[in-house]
Amino acid sequence: MTYIGRFAPSPTGLLHFGSLLAATASYLQARSQQGQWLLRIEDLDKPREPVGAADAIIQTLGLYGFEWDQTIVYQSQRIAAYTESLNSLKPFIYGCNCSRKQLQTRANQGDFGLIYPRICRDKYLALTPLTAIRIKTLDQSICFHDQIQGFYCQNLERELGDFVIRRADQIFAYQLAVVVDDAWQGITEIVRGSDLLDNTPRQIYLQQLLGYSTPSYAHIPIAINALGQKLSKQTLAPALTTQANKPLKHLVKALEFLGQNPANANSFSNLKEFWDWAIANWDLNKIPKQLAYDPLITT
Ligand code: GLU
């Protein structure tokens, strides 16, 4: 079977070192197996997308020497497919008009904590454009073997509750869109940050309901900042600069973080040399489960 991997950034800002790690690991895992590597822009939340963010990400990836296969997929152009998938999910979905405030009040009362207390499950609301859509969860463990993080299980009903697959503002949730697109694009393995590890059982559940096969997973450790927070736009991770020489320096750092320890780290004179070495020597088994922070990452 041909390997098909992907990198699927949300254009919420510019690429930062955390996203570079996911891009690099997924790229090397695909290329080291002569596989394809696809680029998908997860731009469903248009109101929160800074102008030009998607183009800037694509441009930065190009400057770092990433070469993707096929045309770039934009989730904003895939709404019809997500809507279609609701038909197959019909027996499992229901409309929900709970407000955030109402859920917070219930959470504060303590019975269910942050687990959705099923307020709407038996209301049989019509699925109007103003209702969110939730999917019923089951009291059973969904487990998978992650190639880096090991065995992972979650009981969706007990640990999370019925979750939203389309928000009340009509925006499809990441969980549904990612499953529909990974299946449509024939993705065989997903390599991404371990902040998404606990999203995976939800995605496997949706794959099962939609009759899709489950790809294999490898969740790389996420980079954290000096405060121990995940590097992200919210924690003000610095954007990757595209100044001359910086891409090579950042890529070498990324490779070191991913446990590949290039002995000749300083001897790469250009991006091609770097990528040739990295592809030839890539070993997923060397990736650590967790990362230590290096304050010099993006300087
Ligand atoms: N779009 C997601 C993000 O940028 C990643 C999705 C995925 O790799 O499944 O965090």
Side-chain angles (χ1 to χ4, degrees):
M1 190 170 67
T2 326
Y3 182 106
I4 307 182
R6 49 65 156 186
F7 177 54
S10 305
T12 49
L14 299 171
L15 275 192
H16 52 76
F17 190 73
S19 24
L20 181 67
L21 288 177
T24 305
S26 59
Y27 187 71
L28 291 173
Q29 182 69 356
R31 290 295 186 240
S32 64
Q33 297 176 67
Q34 291 78 48
Q36 292 191 42
W37 186 74
L38 312 185
L39 180 56
R40 183 171 74 227
I41 302 293
E42 302 209 320
D43 59 345
L44 285 177
D45 203 346
K46 283 288 178 196
R48 284 179 49 206
E49 181 179 327
V51 177
D55 287 346
I57 288 175
I58 295 165
Q59 193 195 16
T60 306
L61 288 170
L63 286 165
Y64 276 67
F66 289 92
E67 293 174 357
W68 48 92
D69 298 294
Q70 304 183 23
T71 46
I72 300 173
V73 166
Y74 289 82
Q75 288 195 322
S76 55
Q77 290 166 19
R78 299 263 308 138
I79 307 301
Y82 312 138
T83 308
E84 174 70 31
S85 74
L86 292 179
N87 280 331
S88 321
L89 294 172
K90 220 169 223 152
F92 307 97
I93 59 180
Y94 61 89
C96 180
N97 58 2
C98 293
S99 66
R100 240 175 238 192
K101 196 168 159 214
Q102 184 181 8
L103 292 177
Q104 193 55 53
T105 310
R106 282 292 286 262
N108 295 344
Q109 287 165 354
D111 293 351
F112 285 88
L114 291 173
I115 300 165
Y116 178 66
R118 296 197 192 177
I119 300 169
C120 289
R121 222 199 226 207
D122 302 316
K123 280 194 194 165
Y124 303 103
L125 297 172
L127 297 184
T128 70
L130 292 177
T131 48
I133 299 179
R134 286 184 186 267
I135 189 135
K136 292 177 191 165
T137 50
L138 301 174
D139 182 12
Q140 65 186 34
S141 288
I142 296 192
C143 303
F144 69 103
H145 178 80
D146 186 85
Q147 292 179 79
I148 299 167
Q149 307 297 332
F151 196 61
Y152 188 84
C153 284
Q154 207 176 41
N155 180 312
L156 295 179
E157 187 179 280
R158 288 176 188 219
E159 295 177 49
L160 187 82
D162 299 349
F163 56 94
V164 171
I165 55 170
R166 200 195 67 192
R167 299 182 345 205
D169 59 5
Q170 295 278 297
I171 294 181
F172 280 96
Y174 156 67
Q175 310 296 350
L176 180 68
V178 78
V179 164
V180 170
D181 286 342
D182 284 334
W184 177 65
Q185 295 188 285
I187 304 301
T188 57
E189 184 174 74
I190 292 175
V191 180
R192 62 185 177 192
S194 58
D195 53 320
L196 294 170
L197 186 70
D198 66 1
N199 286 227
T200 307
R202 264 171 281 178
Q203 294 171 19
I204 293 176
Y205 179 56
L206 288 172
Q207 288 157 5
Q208 291 170 349
L209 294 182
L210 289 164
Y212 300 151
S213 54
T214 292
S216 59
Y217 289 96
H219 285 88
I220 62 164
I222 51 165
I224 51 173
N225 66 17
L227 299 172
Q229 302 160 319
K230 173 196 162 188
L231 285 190
S232 70
K233 194 180 150 227
Q234 284 75 23
T235 58
L236 305 178
L240 292 178
T241 149
T242 49
Q243 296 160 21
N245 286 331
K246 291 283 180 170
L248 191 53
K249 188 176 162 206
H250 293 162
L251 285 166
V252 169
K253 272 269 174 257
L255 208 54
E256 285 171 358
F257 260 62
L258 293 167
Q260 308 298 305
N261 295 325
N264 47 352
N266 296 320
S267 69
F268 300 118
S269 49
N270 56 44
L271 288 173
K272 176 162 185 344
E273 268 179 32
F274 168 84
W275 284 119
D276 286 349
W277 187 92
I279 292 168
N281 292 279
W282 175 248
D283 182 357
L284 189 82
N285 297 319
K286 289 188 179 162
I287 300 180
K289 267 192 179 188
Q290 284 174 350
L291 280 182
Y293 173 69
D294 176 346
L296 299 175
I297 299 178
T298 41
T299 54

